[in-house]
Amino acid sequence: MNLTKEQKKQKSLELSSEISNAGTIFFTAYQGLKFGDMAGLRAKLGETGAKFRVERNAILDHAIRQAKIEGADEKLFQGPTAVAIGGDVAAVAKALVDFQKGQAALKLRACYSDGVWYDEAQVKQLATIGTKEENLSKLAGALYSAVAQSAQVLQAPIRDFAYVIKALEEKQSN
């Protein structure tokens, strides 16, 4: 589909706005993936809150510049490129890495999130840290455990004092 220069500018502006709002973008190479595989990946990424789509390199490059993202490697814009925009960084990374295990045609190139660039190896590490919800639930469990232990420690002297009084009562009643 041939786009006019004005349409390309408009598409680039919309993509730039989407990237700025999301704060996270994953760059992938998808050459060799079948349409059905791409649809499955889109559905999987949709569960994480990310949108996955193929973009023209020139439009993507221009959108990155408009979003004021610096440090992008020019190699990101060579060959067929698909991007995952938005979602929880760890959840999206995990979904992409899991999909890549079954479909070697998907290549992770890089990720940009909250001002930091990650290469393929770092994206794979991101996939292992767990999602925001998982980490928050672990933190909540740890905090609850600490509070419960503190309550037991604080109740121990009172409980022990009650045992002493009960023992004295039993001794005096005998």
Side-chain angles (χ1 to χ4, degrees):
M1 171 167 112
N2 290 329
L3 298 174
T4 66
K5 192 172 186 174
E6 221 26 67
Q7 289 172 322
K8 289 178 184 177
K9 283 182 182 179
Q10 183 61 31
K11 190 167 183 161
S12 176
L13 187 61
E14 290 169 3
L15 184 59
S16 169
S17 174
E18 191 174 340
I19 293 168
S20 294
N21 290 336
T24 301
I25 183 169
F26 287 82
F27 295 84
T28 66
Y30 66 93
Q31 193 169 18
L33 283 179
K34 295 180 178 149
F35 181 78
D37 297 333
M38 293 277 282
L41 180 57
R42 279 188 182 97
K44 193 172 185 181
L45 289 172
E47 295 171 6
T48 68
K51 293 179 182 177
F52 186 75
R53 64 177 181 246
V54 175
E55 288 293 341
R56 291 180 179 202
N57 289 329
I59 292 173
L60 189 56
D61 184 27
H62 195 258
I64 294 292
R65 289 183 194 165
Q66 284 180 322
K68 294 183 176 54
I69 296 174
E70 296 178 7
D73 187 359
E74 290 301 317
K75 292 178 184 177
L76 291 177
F77 309 108
Q78 295 174 354
T81 304
V83 292
I85 300 171
D88 179 59
V89 177
V92 175
K94 183 171 178 45
L96 287 169
V97 168
D98 287 348
F99 185 84
Q100 187 182 33
K101 289 176 185 173
Q103 295 289 334
L106 181 73
K107 305 281 189 244
L108 296 170
R109 291 182 178 169
C111 168
Y112 176 83
S113 181
D114 298 323
V116 179
W117 282 99
Y118 301 96
D119 63 16
E120 180 181 1
Q122 292 168 323
V123 170
K124 288 181 179 181
Q125 286 180 335
L126 281 174
T128 64
I129 64 171
T131 65
K132 183 178 180 179
E133 289 79 20
E134 291 170 347
N135 291 332
L136 286 175
S137 67
K138 287 178 186 176
L139 177 63
L143 289 174
Y144 177 77
S145 175
V147 169
Q149 288 175 350
S150 298
Q152 289 175 350
V153 168
L154 292 174
Q155 291 173 351
I158 297 169
R159 182 185 62 236
D160 292 345
F161 182 68
Y163 287 144
V164 168
I165 292 188
K166 186 173 182 179
L168 285 174
E169 281 180 358
E170 287 176 2
K171 186 177 182 182
Q172 285 180 353
S173 66
N174 288 336

